Amino acid sequence: MILLLIRQCITHKVFRVTPTNPHHLKWLKQLGRQKHYDFWKEPTALHRPADVMVHPSKVELMMTSLLDLKMNHYVTIDDVQRQIDDQGSAKTKSESDFEDYMNYGQMEDWLSYTVSICGSRCELINLGQSYEGRNIWIVKISTGGIKRGIWLDAGIHAREWLAHHTGLYIIDRFVHDYGVDPDVDFILEHYDVYILPVVNPDGYVYTWTDDRMWRKTRNPHNGYDTNPCTGADANRNYDFKWMLIGASNDSCDNTYAGPFAHSEPETALIRDYIFNGNWEAYFALHTYGQLWLLPWGYTADDPPTYDELMRVANIGASALTEVYGTRYTVGSSADILYESSGTSRDWAYGHPQAQIPYAFTLELRDKSNFVMPPDQILPTAIETWTGFKASIIAIINGPTK
């Protein structure tokens, strides 16, 4: 059986709340430090909605408090455990089956098989080991020659299962559509593609065995905190504007940035690999929100190449929408999501040893839920694949003269 939000839990609810005055915002931020409240979308600004999962024992108190505060709110998910149960359990999969979720062992088997049938165009690279000793796999797709790289990773936040599987699907398309889809051939004429579908394997395994809503790594950080909680938010752990804003120094918080930049072996391995490559674009897949995010997260100032980044992002988002009508909002992270620092996207674009010209975060379907049913895997993956291809082709073609 799949997991286990918390074994006894059957009535966790998710509230969407919108602070409209400073007292509201202060109250929500204090709530986030308490046990039994898990913010899926952090409270960051007035009139900007936040999502919080509330333990059954605190639901009545939450509703009473929100009414007393006269804070705008509604329940987006009435029973989180029911949605988890509806995701079904892991089962034997065919090599290109995206109709159900895979556990990490199945993903490793799938990657090994898929690379084996790809032949000389594909290479399965072991980036190194996670904190708990799991292999972190990259698939490199190349038609040979010396080319710049396109990087795509997913699964830095363990509970965002739809992102992991979209990364796998993009590998699948590069393998099976070469020689069939002219867009794939065109991209591989210009670039090598590197895809890391599970940045945080320890956390992902933990979402299957203990806590479906786990977000962080599984590094205990003993010796750095008098009362340590396990794990860090790997997407606050990068060495660019680390701990500046939108990150926590409390190891029990979901946005804990770690005791120092690249304290997590997973982000350190990515750093070292990126520094030794020659890159054109960086993509990070997350859920949820239906957002195509540019730098910066740490400031509302526009990045130096804002217009060009917007051009490429808008082309990608428009192509994505054409598939099923799913609409994405495009813009800088600090403008349309929230302020955050130490993120992989800002690091890829802004760190002097990386300086990747194009860097984006895609927040996939939907607008309110990490726990998406299996019938959402394929449509999400297909539309994301279409948008990803279009954005790369836009980079190749350059601005319209």
Side-chain angles (χ1 to χ4, degrees):
M1 156 162 182
I2 238 180
L3 201 215
L4 312 181
L5 181 59
I6 295 170
R7 295 184 185 273
Q8 309 91 314
C9 160
I10 56 172
T11 57
H12 283 76
K13 297 182 187 298
V14 177
F15 289 78
R16 176 155 290 178
V17 294
T18 304
T20 56
N21 63 55
H23 179 61
H24 287 168
L25 192 59
K26 181 179 178 181
W27 183 83
L28 288 171
K29 289 183 176 181
Q30 290 174 340
L31 195 72
R33 299 188 186 101
Q34 300 177 33
K35 188 178 180 182
H36 302 318
Y37 299 94
D38 177 8
F39 274 96
W40 291 11
K41 185 179 289 184
E42 297 285 331
T44 57
L46 297 183
H47 309 292
R48 183 169 285 180
D51 294 338
V52 57
M53 184 179 71
V54 181
H55 188 275
S57 66
K58 300 295 183 181
V59 166
E60 186 175 349
L61 176 61
M62 181 71 172
M63 295 181 74
T64 301
S65 299
L66 291 170
L67 289 170
D68 289 345
L69 289 163
K70 296 182 173 57
M71 195 185 311
N72 295 332
H73 68 278
Y74 59 94
V75 174
T76 59
I77 304 175
D78 188 61
D79 188 338
V80 177
Q81 186 64 50
R82 183 182 302 147
Q83 295 213 343
I84 291 171
D85 292 341
D86 288 347
Q87 286 189 327
S89 56
K91 58 187 178 182
T92 303
K93 305 178 67 61
S94 65
E95 291 77 23
S96 58
D97 179 7
F98 289 91
E99 295 178 354
D100 209 345
Y101 290 104
M102 299 186 227
N103 62 36
Y104 193 61
Q106 290 171 316
M107 286 181 175
E108 289 189 299
D109 291 343
W110 184 92
L111 288 169
S112 179
Y113 175 83
T114 301
V115 169
S116 74
I117 65 172
C118 179
S120 60
R121 282 182 292 111
C122 295
E123 180 182 1
L124 187 60
I125 300 168
N126 183 1
L127 192 63
Q129 279 69 49
S130 66
Y131 174 78
E132 293 181 342
R134 293 182 175 89
N135 293 327
I136 299 175
W137 299 106
I138 296 177
V139 175
K140 176 184 177 182
I141 306 118
S142 173
T143 55
I146 299 174
K147 305 187 184 86
R148 288 166 68 82
I150 303 294
W151 176 284
L152 181 144
D153 66 41
I156 197 169
H157 290 150
R159 61 192 177 188
E160 299 172 8
W161 287 12
L162 208 54
H164 304 72
H165 288 75
T166 300
L168 293 173
Y169 182 83
I170 292 173
I171 294 170
D172 186 79
R173 291 302 85 206
F174 272 114
V175 170
H176 290 97
D177 288 356
Y178 181 71
V180 177
D181 181 347
D183 288 346
V184 171
D185 295 359
F186 186 61
I187 290 169
L188 291 176
E189 284 174 15
H190 290 82
Y191 300 120
D192 293 338
V193 177
Y194 299 75
I195 301 174
L196 196 175
V198 190
V199 173
N200 177 14
D202 299 344
Y204 185 67
V205 169
Y206 196 73
T207 65
W208 281 82
T209 60
D210 289 80
D211 182 351
R212 174 62 183 83
M213 288 298 109
W214 188 259
R215 168 185 168 101
K216 299 188 289 182
T217 64
R218 294 296 301 162
N219 187 341
H221 297 296
N222 293 326
Y224 294 100
D225 194 330
T226 56
N227 186 28
C229 290
T230 298
D233 181 347
N235 201 40
R236 301 291 185 277
N237 191 237
Y238 282 81
D239 187 19
F240 185 78
K241 310 299 181 181
W242 180 80
M243 271 298 299
L244 181 67
I245 194 168
S248 173
N249 60 6
D250 182 344
S251 65
C252 295
D253 287 350
N254 261 343
T255 56
Y256 175 52
F260 52 89
H262 296 294
S263 60
E264 309 312 286
E266 297 85 358
T267 67
L269 289 166
I270 292 171
R271 173 199 62 199
D272 294 346
Y273 199 86
I274 292 284
F275 283 175
N276 285 303
N278 183 15
W279 307 96
E280 183 72 15
Y282 174 94
F283 293 79
L285 301 184
H286 288 249
T287 68
Y288 56 83
Q290 294 174 198
L291 307 171
W292 197 302
L293 302 174
L294 288 55
W296 304 108
Y298 78 92
T299 176
D301 293 344
D302 290 341
T305 57
Y306 176 82
D307 289 345
E308 173 62 4
L309 291 169
M310 283 293 290
R311 180 189 73 84
V312 170
N314 278 318
I315 289 171
S318 295
L320 185 155
T321 300
E322 288 176 6
V323 182
Y324 299 113
T326 308
R327 295 197 173 276
Y328 271 49
T329 303
V330 178
S332 294
S333 181
D335 290 337
I336 65 173
L337 184 58
Y338 47 64
E339 291 181 317
S340 55
S341 60
T343 65
S344 65
R345 175 203 56 250
D346 282 8
W347 171 86
Y349 181 79
H351 192 283
Q353 287 182 260
Q355 290 190 326
I356 300 176
Y358 298 88
F360 306 104
T361 300
L362 275 63
E363 296 279 358
L364 310 182
R365 293 190 190 187
D366 61 0
K367 292 192 173 183
S368 63
N369 198 353
F370 290 121
V371 188
M372 296 294 283
D375 64 10
Q376 292 296 300
I377 299 172
L378 266 176
T380 302
I382 290 168
E383 68 188 13
T384 307
W385 165 238
T386 303
F388 175 74
K389 284 194 300 179
S391 65
I392 298 303
I393 291 169
I395 292 171
I396 296 169
N397 290 335
T400 301
K401 300 295 192 253

